[in-house]
Amino acid sequence: MRRAYYLVPPLPNCIIAPDMWSFFHKLGSPPWLYSISGAILRWLLPITLVALAIGLVWGVLFTAPDFRQGNSYRIIYIHVPSSVVALAGYYVMALAGAVSLIWKMKMADVAMQACAPIGAALTFLALITGSIWGKPTWGTWWVWDARVTSMLILLFLYLGVIALYEAYDNKVAAGKACAVLSLVGMVNIPIIYKSVDWWYSLHQPASIKFTGESTIDTSMLYPLFLMIAAFYALFTCCMLMNMRVEILRRESSTGWVKRLLFRQEHD
Amino acid sequence: MSAPGSLQFCRRLLRRQLTLAVRRPVEIGNPLLFFTMVVALFPLGLGPAPDKLADFAPGILWIIALLSNLLTSDAVFRSDFEDGSLEQLLLSPQPLYLTVLAYIGAHWLITGLLLALICPVFALMLNLPASAIATLALSLLLGTALLSLLGCIGAALTVGLKRGGMLISLLILPLYMPVLIFGSAAVKGAVVGSPAGPYLAIIGAMVCLAIALAPLAIAAGLRISVDA
């Protein structure tokens, strides 16, 4: 059964190639998305867990201690990936919101809702690990510098989206309102982050530079990159799992979900 | 009778909002009264030492401006939403962008402009050096415009909800923070004699960006709220 709202308004094929276009159509169909995400997860989830384990063991056990911070710096292997992915997650959420607003695609709305709690959790993790790292390094649990503050603001932005979604009884309107709010937040994030440059802080300037010379040793950098990649994959896995639950919840009265459950009972 | 042009319509709407406000002077007075009361809270909480108060005055005044703006922005669309006139405005052939701008303009004139005019009194009460008062008024004049623009986004998204009051602060306060940073930095700079121009220029740039983009978000928010 194909309902009208799975369709997206036709664009000329010169803009998107025909294959791409049918892929986009399929992306809007809950049963297809449910099955493809299941297939992706079957591979991605074990890879993610293995990469997380390797990165963590490599970073924590097999890198040299920092000459000034000793062993305490090793929390970087949790702190940096979670902050990087927390920020990227907001953009994923906002872009999904934009897609759901522009093309009225229900599955984009599901994707947006799936991002918010994961992003909030990662932001919280980044703040907690930063605070634990701050105690031995700066001698205090909490410093009001720009980067810590902007992560805190990011947490507020995430929580605002979640709170707005919960406040609406009409979940269709809730999705749209959250999409608008997350887009507003997306415009504001660079403004908030730019305050890093102006705001006096105890926080060191960024150590990883892709353009200039890095001030962190490469032997410490490889496990860090692995952890960042693993956290991205973890975010994707969690997002897909959240989406699958939400798809089942929304489609619980449709035939394909009933058939799916029936089949699982008999397997 | 021919339909009014867009700008004329916008002007009429602005006049309507201001007339409505002037007919209920208490509504205009309430934010100012709130401002006064919260100013009185700080010496009670922090102690009356003049030099300490002077240190905190830029931040205190800016935070109170933030809060009074936040509390009033909740009501910008509410009465028009409840009596249905907002729905009529959305259905009218006039561009929603200008309609929304008229609402924001009225809100800014009623709260921000008055606050900027009256703030020297509070600055004196908090022992802010006289040299910084002009900067305070200017930064509030510019900054409250931005606060109104951002606040109305929250108002538009929550106008259809019964319990909007607390929610709007959760949505909008994070967006207010850059304004607070630059606004209070401008005043603090003026206290020690450094030029406030760059800070005011940044606030001005943010106001320009917000004038361009915020009405779009507000218009989308209002449509969502009316549809829901």
Side-chain angles (χ1 to χ4, degrees):
Chain A
M1 187 182 67
R2 190 159 191 167
R3 281 189 229 145
Y5 63 71
Y6 300 148
L7 298 173
V8 285
L11 280 175
N13 277 346
C14 56
I15 297 180
I16 299 173
D19 306 354
M20 179 80 188
W21 198 222
S22 63
F23 173 73
F24 201 57
H25 268 291
K26 280 184 192 160
L27 216 52
S29 138
W32 187 83
L33 194 63
Y34 185 84
S35 68
I36 195 77
S37 60
I40 293 173
L41 274 177
R42 209 164 297 139
W43 289 99
L44 191 58
L45 196 57
I47 294 175
T48 305
L49 295 177
V50 168
L52 273 179
I54 293 176
L56 209 54
V57 170
W58 187 1
V60 172
L61 299 180
F62 294 99
T63 50
D66 186 79
F67 79 101
R68 203 179 294 150
Q69 298 182 26
N71 283 323
S72 69
Y73 90 95
R74 292 181 200 278
I75 202 166
I76 198 174
Y77 296 110
I78 304 284
H79 177 68
V80 169
S82 54
S83 358
V84 167
V85 180
L87 184 58
Y90 197 90
Y91 284 87
V92 174
M93 180 173 79
L95 289 177
V99 170
S100 96
L101 273 185
I102 294 167
W103 285 292
K104 313 254 182 290
M105 203 163 139
K106 295 285 162 191
M107 292 302 105
D109 183 47
V110 171
M112 185 188 70
Q113 291 313 323
C115 288
I118 312 166
L122 283 174
T123 315
F124 188 68
L125 183 66
L127 283 171
I128 290 287
T129 51
S131 148
I132 294 170
W133 194 7
K135 186 64 186 164
T137 320
W138 299 333
T140 168
W141 293 107
W142 187 265
V143 173
W144 283 103
D145 88 322
R147 216 171 306 186
V148 177
T149 313
S150 47
M151 278 316 268
L152 188 65
I153 298 176
L154 184 67
L155 181 65
F156 294 156
L157 289 174
Y158 271 123
L159 294 182
V161 172
I162 296 173
L164 185 64
Y165 189 78
E166 294 303 321
Y168 271 90
D169 290 330
N170 176 349
K171 290 303 174 196
V172 177
K176 287 184 192 163
C178 288
V180 171
L181 183 66
S182 53
L183 283 172
V184 171
M186 190 174 83
V187 174
N188 270 277
I189 279 181
I191 297 173
I192 293 168
Y193 268 67
K194 212 53 207 158
S195 62
V196 172
D197 293 343
W198 289 303
W199 196 246
Y200 171 76
S201 72
L202 280 171
H203 208 297
Q204 60 174 353
S207 308
I208 304 173
K209 298 187 193 91
F210 289 101
T211 49
E213 206 178 333
S214 181
T215 54
I216 178 169
D217 190 71
T218 43
S219 70
M220 296 175 180
L221 209 52
Y222 290 135
L224 185 59
F225 281 144
L226 180 64
M227 282 303 278
I228 292 176
F231 263 68
Y232 270 109
L234 183 68
F235 182 88
T236 313
C237 288
C238 292
M239 186 181 152
L240 287 178
M241 287 192 278
N242 272 359
M243 283 175 72
R244 283 162 68 79
V245 174
E246 180 65 18
I247 288 174
L248 287 186
R249 201 185 61 74
R250 289 192 186 189
E251 301 275 312
S252 55
S253 57
T254 58
W256 72 269
V257 173
K258 283 181 187 139
R259 279 196 296 280
L260 186 83
L261 292 178
F262 185 75
R263 202 164 61 225
Q264 275 178 358
E265 267 172 28
H266 288 255
D267 275 351
Chain B
M1 199 176 91
S2 66
S6 302
L7 283 176
Q8 199 189 358
F9 180 75
C10 179
R11 253 201 316 276
R12 281 185 192 174
L13 200 58
L14 185 65
R15 200 160 56 217
R16 165 184 181 263
Q17 291 297 106
L18 292 179
T19 313
L20 282 175
V22 169
R23 286 194 185 147
R24 293 171 146 216
V26 179
E27 301 264 308
I28 301 182
N30 277 349
L32 301 177
L33 196 60
F34 173 80
F35 201 93
T36 319
M37 283 183 181
V38 183
V39 165
L41 291 183
F42 278 92
L44 294 176
L46 296 173
D51 53 333
K52 206 187 262 177
L53 281 179
D55 274 355
F56 288 129
I60 292 174
L61 289 168
W62 256 98
I63 290 172
I64 308 172
L66 228 71
L67 293 179
S68 64
N69 198 286
L70 186 75
L71 293 176
T72 49
S73 63
D74 185 37
V76 173
F77 299 112
R78 197 163 290 278
S79 66
D80 282 349
F81 177 80
E82 278 162 2
D83 68 14
S85 41
L86 193 64
E87 200 167 351
Q88 295 302 316
L89 277 175
L90 294 189
L91 291 172
S92 78
Q94 301 295 341
L96 198 49
Y97 185 91
L98 291 174
T99 306
V100 163
L101 222 47
Y103 271 91
I104 300 166
H107 180 247
W108 176 68
L109 289 173
I110 295 161
T111 59
L113 182 66
L114 286 183
L115 217 58
L117 290 177
I118 198 171
C119 72
V121 180
F122 302 118
L124 290 175
M125 284 165 77
L126 289 176
N127 206 30
L128 190 77
S131 58
I133 288 180
T135 311
L136 175 72
L138 252 176
S139 69
L140 276 178
L141 194 66
L142 261 177
T144 47
L146 187 52
L147 297 181
S148 292
L149 283 157
L150 293 172
C152 285
I153 297 178
L157 288 172
T158 55
V159 69
L161 302 171
K162 287 193 179 58
R163 311 167 294 275
M166 190 69 193
L167 189 63
I168 187 172
S169 33
L170 295 182
L171 303 186
I172 293 309
L173 275 179
L175 307 180
Y176 275 0
M177 288 174 187
V179 195
L180 175 65
I181 290 175
F182 292 114
S184 57
V187 183
K188 270 182 217 144
V191 171
V192 297
S194 69
Y199 296 112
L200 295 179
I202 291 170
I203 299 178
M206 293 197 285
V207 172
C208 292
L209 185 70
I211 286 179
L213 295 180
L216 301 177
I218 296 166
L222 287 178
R223 284 193 200 283
I224 293 164
S225 293
V226 168
D227 284 348

